[in-house]
Amino acid sequence: DDAGDRLDRLSIDRGDDPAVESLRGQWLLLEGNPSEAVPHLERAQRMSEDDPGLSFALGTASLASGRDAQAREAFERTVALDPRYYDGWLRLGLVCARLGDAPARDRALERAAALPESRDGRAEAMKREFSLPR
């Protein structure tokens, strides 16, 4: 509740500040309201197009609210802005799988697997999961 009150005050003080819109969207996402988060994150994205973390948050909210095509665009923007964004590649692979685009899924997971963070095993686990017979 306190975070929401503080965000309300920031919105009044700062008006159309992309950081405030981004924070509100991320707060709503963390509160379990991804559909409500999307419009705030979209507004922030329009005002600040070069933030891979913001693109990732928009992709996450979109994915969680069933907007797979929008999520794909957001994750593609994330990794275009920062090709070393490991979780961006993983989420791009996931959303491509949900959309039935196996070649794009495989490319994204290969890019993720090539990054140092892949030592955590998530990229390889996803690759194994998606190679199961369908």
Side-chain angles (χ1 to χ4, degrees), residues 5-122:
D5 292 341
R6 288 176 188 238
L7 285 168
D8 289 341
R9 284 195 301 276
L10 280 173
S11 293
I12 292 168
D13 294 343
R14 294 193 182 178
D16 290 336
D17 186 330
V20 174
E21 284 295 312
S22 176
L23 285 172
R24 182 175 300 283
Q26 291 180 51
W27 175 69
L28 288 165
L29 183 58
L30 289 171
E31 288 289 305
N33 301 307
S35 292
E36 291 178 40
V38 168
H40 294 282
L41 295 167
E42 288 173 328
R43 278 192 294 278
Q45 182 77 58
R46 284 192 298 274
M47 293 185 270
S48 178
E49 296 182 358
D50 62 347
D51 183 346
L54 176 56
S55 294
F56 184 80
L58 176 57
T60 301
S62 299
L63 189 64
S65 57
R67 298 174 173 138
D68 291 350
Q70 181 180 23
R72 180 179 182 162
E73 288 177 21
F75 293 131
E76 286 174 341
R77 185 178 311 114
T78 300
V79 298
L81 290 168
D82 183 359
R84 300 191 55 77
Y85 206 120
Y86 179 60
D87 284 306
W89 287 111
L90 292 177
R91 292 280 174 92
L92 180 57
L94 175 64
V95 75
C96 287
R98 283 177 55 164
L99 290 167
D101 188 344
R105 173 203 69 205
D106 294 346
R107 283 191 302 273
L109 294 178
E110 285 299 322
R111 291 292 302 266
L115 293 172
E117 294 87 350
S118 68
R119 289 186 299 259
D120 70 3
R122 289 185 294 154

